[in-house]
Amino acid sequence: MSDAAPARLDQELGAQPPASFRELTNEQSAVLADALRREHDSRAAGLNEAAEEALKLVPALARGPVRRILFR
């Protein structure tokens, strides 16, 4: 493994990780970074689905403009 795994983990966290994370091996960092990426993707997909479901409450003629306003 390369030293890129800890950098990927830092990027996925979006903040300075706790000092104890520096004790992780490159492989462990890569596994954790992958798990965080999958979780972020899953949450984003869930939010998109919820937004589309909520748009069903908007009258059909207004959905297009409302969608453009909310999701520029």
Side-chain angles (χ1 to χ4, degrees):
M1 288 248 127
S2 70
D3 289 335
R8 270 188 46 225
L9 180 56
D10 292 354
Q11 182 181 1
E12 289 300 330
L13 288 171
Q16 185 66 28
S20 60
F21 278 35
R22 297 294 165 219
E23 297 174 18
L24 296 174
T25 65
N26 284 336
E27 183 177 326
Q28 290 169 328
S29 293
V31 169
L32 185 53
D34 290 341
L36 287 169
R37 169 59 28 213
R38 284 192 307 273
E39 182 59 27
H40 289 155
D41 292 346
S42 175
R43 285 182 183 209
L47 286 173
N48 288 337
E49 289 175 24
E52 288 298 324
E53 223 19 67
L55 281 173
K56 291 179 182 177
L57 300 173
V58 176
L61 291 174
R63 283 185 199 148
V66 169
R67 185 178 278 116
R68 283 190 293 278
I69 291 167
L70 293 176
F71 306 109
R72 294 181 186 183

